[in-house]
């Protein structure tokens, strides 16, 4: 996003298997840095249809948020998509780093 929170691009950073995806902060933040983004919004889906975050989802969100703060590219939210219309928003739930 730019400094007005307008989307300036999107990137498919990782593609997982049926039950897992291995992601790291660098792979999520490098495209944002190259685009000179002011912030990012993270999305991923849960093929099971249940958008409840796993322990790994929570850990990754915290790691990316910490790295983003250091690099000046804050994470606005991390949204997990489930069976429509179900979703989970870390920001709406008041989970770190959006308290």
């Amino acid at each position: 996003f730019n400094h007005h929170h307008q989307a300036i691009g999107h990137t498919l950073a990782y593609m997982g298997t049926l039950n897992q995806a291995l992601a790291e902060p660098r792979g999520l933040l490098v495209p944002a840095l190259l685009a000179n983004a002011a912030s990012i919004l993270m999305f991923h889906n849960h093929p099971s249809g249940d958008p409840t975050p796993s322990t790994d989802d929570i850990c990754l969100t915290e790691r990316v948020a910490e790295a983003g703060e250091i690099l000046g590219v804050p994470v606005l939210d991390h949204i997990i998509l489930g069976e429509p219309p179900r979703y989970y928003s870390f920001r709406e739930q008041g989970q770190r780093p959006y308290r």
Side-chain angles (χ1 to χ4, degrees):
F1 289 92
N2 64 19
H3 66 281
H4 293 294
H5 290 193
Q6 298 168 321
I8 59 172
H10 67 276
T11 301
L12 174 61
Y14 292 95
M15 187 171 297
T17 63
L18 184 61
N19 62 355
Q20 75 174 23
L22 300 175
E24 59 183 25
R26 175 177 47 196
L28 299 169
L29 292 170
V30 164
L33 292 169
L34 292 173
N36 201 29
S39 58
I40 66 168
L41 179 62
M42 295 169 45
F43 283 92
H44 81 276
N45 72 311
H46 279 182
S48 69
D50 179 3
T52 304
S54 67
T55 301
D56 288 340
D57 292 333
I58 295 166
C59 182
L60 177 65
T61 302
E62 290 178 353
R63 289 180 63 217
V64 174
E66 289 170 6
E69 287 297 323
I70 291 168
L71 295 172
V73 184
V75 177
L76 297 178
D77 198 354
H78 181 184
I79 298 172
I80 302 172
L81 304 172
E83 182 76 26
R86 296 177 64 201
Y87 71 94
Y88 184 93
S89 163
F90 280 74
R91 179 182 281 282
E92 286 179 6
Q93 297 302 315
Q95 281 198 266
R96 185 181 165 27
Y98 321 105
R99 294 179 188 168

